[in-house]
Amino acid sequence: MGWLTSALFLGWSLGANDAANIFGTAVASRMVRFRTAAIITTIFVILGGVIVGPLGVERIGKLGAIDSISGAFTAALAAALTVMWMTRLNLPVSTTQAIVGSALSWSYFAGKSVAWAKLIPIVIAWVASPLLCAVASIVLYYLIAFILKHVKTHMLVLDAYLRYGLIAVGSYGAWALGGNNMGNVVGVFNGSGIFNDTVILGIPFSEARLLSVLGALGISVGVITYSYGVMITVGGDLVKLDSMTAFIAIASEALVLDIFGYLGIPVSSSQALVGAVLGVGLIRGGNTIKLKVLGRIVLGWIATPVIAAVVCLVALYVVKNVFEQEVVKEYGIAPKVSLQTSR
Amino acid sequence: MNSDQRLSRMFEKKKNQSFFFKKQYEIEEKIHHFLRCMEDMGLLYQEAFFSYFSQQADQFQDQVKELGAIEKKMDELGRQIQISLFAQSLMPDSREDILWLLNSLDQIPSLFKHSLRDIQIEKPVVPETLHDLFRQMLTKTGLTISKLVQATDALFADLRSVRLLTEEVSRHESEVDKVELRLLQAVFDQEDLELVRKYQIKRLIQYIGSISNTAEDVSDAILIFAIKRAM
């Protein structure tokens, strides 16, 4: 079980950072108390994680097909360290891109071929998710504008609807975050044999679902212990948008995360949110779209997996040769690096 | 039953019928009382001028006193609204908009009060030939205020009707401007009036003019609030 600490660390870091993408506005504007937001997020992250999460866990599990528990530990640790290091350097980073880099790195180390069928949809989803969020936010914007044009609206009642709406989309966002991110947090452990399929209270729990329970708990701990400060910072930026834009952006982000969650493809919630904000910005005037922001996202797509892969490769070498752990059970057609290390 | 009681009863019913929006209707009720006070002040302001022109000094004094009492009531209502805005968790932009609206609306009663106080202290002599133009200007100023109050009301009833009402405010304000110009010309055309008296009356006219100017500024902001929410 100790091997799972790296996944818990990754989950903690994800909860600490990404909860701001769904409840940042409400908490930073003091509309919802942090405690309430944390409780709602925890409940829905666990529900989403346990119910939808296993789909993503299985996909990431198959992407790397890591067959050893110490290998999975190393891959998750490398991803977590990459996320932490890049965050500290204020570089754009996403857990999903880091874990994919780590998983591919393990495959390379183990001399196994890349599961292109699993990888291609993930990479397409990275690009598609902010674009889809932008489209979703534009559609939602026009839909709400149409409704407002055709109904009598009371400024304060509209305010209340927005307030309840932000709590509702926040809850949905937490569900989607849990459902979408389990693959990122514990996916590499799937198939490593850490858990056996079991039945608890008459409910069957596969290895992927048991891992998802653990991942959801990790994310929840991150939300409760560390997300407040991030919410105030990220939420403070979002509050500069008006409440309606924030509502539309979070609703679109949650919708897209949820859809990809059901497809079992983990995507970045931060990049999805940026896409949604840019979508609304496009309608309200193109000047809100900053090329720098788009550039940072593209940089994140490339830099994060590459850095994570390098960190993972080094970590695998160290864990194997210094700590003498079996990071790969069954080597494939070994490339140069893995030949040297497996000697 | 007076209008205050009728308004309170109406809101009591509204609050009892609503499960989700009780707090919102509480704030709206206070804003409604605030606006009714402003309407009353606008009427009283005109009446006080008319009393002054017809040399009914006692009535003028009573009206000034009454105006002061309404202003006090408005201050108290303004304070209560501010407390409610911070106590109820409103969205930050709604809170800021309403606070801005209150502070801006609050300039109008001050203008009413200060221009009447000037008359009370300086007792300017206004030639009878100017009374009619003064009446016109005051009536149109009253209409500007009345439309401003309706536009503010519309924020809490139907945001779609705000544009039409704010256009009405602008229309009345430009009419006030026209009368103001005619009145100023008439003042300086008076041959038997000393220059110092002319400037004294000019100041009074400009005070009245600034009321509708302020009303138009507030109304422009109200329109922006409505457009923001209509997306």
Side-chain angles (χ1 to χ4, degrees), chain B residues 144-158:
Chain B
T144 315
I145 298 299
S146 166
K147 288 294 168 193
L148 173 68
V149 167
Q150 285 177 33
T152 315
D153 270 334
L155 281 178
F156 308 102
D158 185 0

Side-chain angles (χ1 to χ4, degrees), chain A residues 130-154:
Chain A
L131 291 175
L132 275 176
C133 267
V135 172
S137 69
I138 290 169
V139 171
L140 202 56
Y141 181 94
Y142 281 122
L143 184 71
I144 293 173
F146 177 82
I147 293 168
L148 290 177
K149 205 174 264 181
H150 291 87
V151 293
K152 278 188 174 180
T153 330
H154 179 304

Side-chain angles (χ1 to χ4, degrees), chain A residues 163-332:
Chain A
R163 201 152 50 91
Y164 294 130
L166 273 173
I167 294 173
V169 294
S171 309
Y172 179 43
W175 159 279
L177 189 76
N180 192 281
N181 277 288
M182 283 314 127
N184 297 332
V185 175
V186 289
V188 288
F189 287 89
N190 195 40
S192 65
I194 193 155
F195 290 125
N196 294 319
D197 294 357
T198 183
V199 175
I200 301 169
L201 299 169
I203 305 164
F205 275 77
S206 61
E207 183 185 25
R209 181 147 289 144
L210 286 167
L211 281 167
S212 295
V213 173
L214 214 74
L217 289 175
I219 294 178
S220 301
V221 173
V223 172
I224 294 163
T225 56
Y226 208 76
S227 66
Y228 180 73
V230 189
M231 280 190 187
I232 297 299
T233 315
V234 175
D237 288 341
L238 286 179
V239 170
K240 283 174 199 154
L241 306 170
D242 57 276
S243 322
M244 186 63 88
T245 309
F247 168 79
I248 292 171
I250 296 165
S252 310
E253 174 206 353
L255 182 71
V256 170
L257 282 186
D258 200 26
I259 290 170
F260 279 109
Y262 279 106
L263 293 174
I265 303 175
V267 290
S268 159
S269 63
S270 309
Q271 289 171 7
L273 186 63
V274 170
V277 172
L278 291 180
V280 184
L282 202 67
I283 303 170
R284 292 195 159 167
N287 58 349
T288 51
I289 298 172
K290 289 177 185 152
L291 282 176
K292 203 175 156 192
V293 176
L294 291 175
R296 282 173 73 85
I297 291 183
V298 176
L299 178 72
W301 290 336
I302 301 159
T304 313
V306 170
I307 294 171
V310 172
V311 173
C312 186
L313 212 56
V314 173
L316 285 169
Y317 186 87
V318 170
V319 172
K320 181 179 166 45
N321 294 302
V322 179
F323 297 103
E324 294 178 345
Q325 294 295 324
E326 187 190 36
V327 291
V328 181
K329 268 188 182 159
E330 198 181 298
Y331 284 92

Side-chain angles (χ1 to χ4, degrees), chain A residues 2 5-6 18 25 31 33 40 48 80 88 104 119 122 151 200 202 230 241 260 273 275 296 315:
Chain A
T5 47
S6 63
D18 288 12
T25 310
M31 198 197 69
R33 279 183 303 175
I40 293 174
R88 290 191 79 165
L104 292 177
L119 178 65
I122 293 177
V151 293
I200 301 169
V230 189
L241 306 170
F260 279 109
L273 186 63
R296 282 173 73 85

Side-chain angles (χ1 to χ4, degrees), chain A residues 148 154-155 159 163 243, chain B residues 28 89 93-94 155-156 229:
Chain A
L148 290 177
H154 179 304
M155 184 178 166
D159 179 275
R163 201 152 50 91
S243 322
Chain B
E28 187 195 345
S89 32
D93 40 355
S94 294
L155 281 178
F156 308 102
R229 283 162 181 84

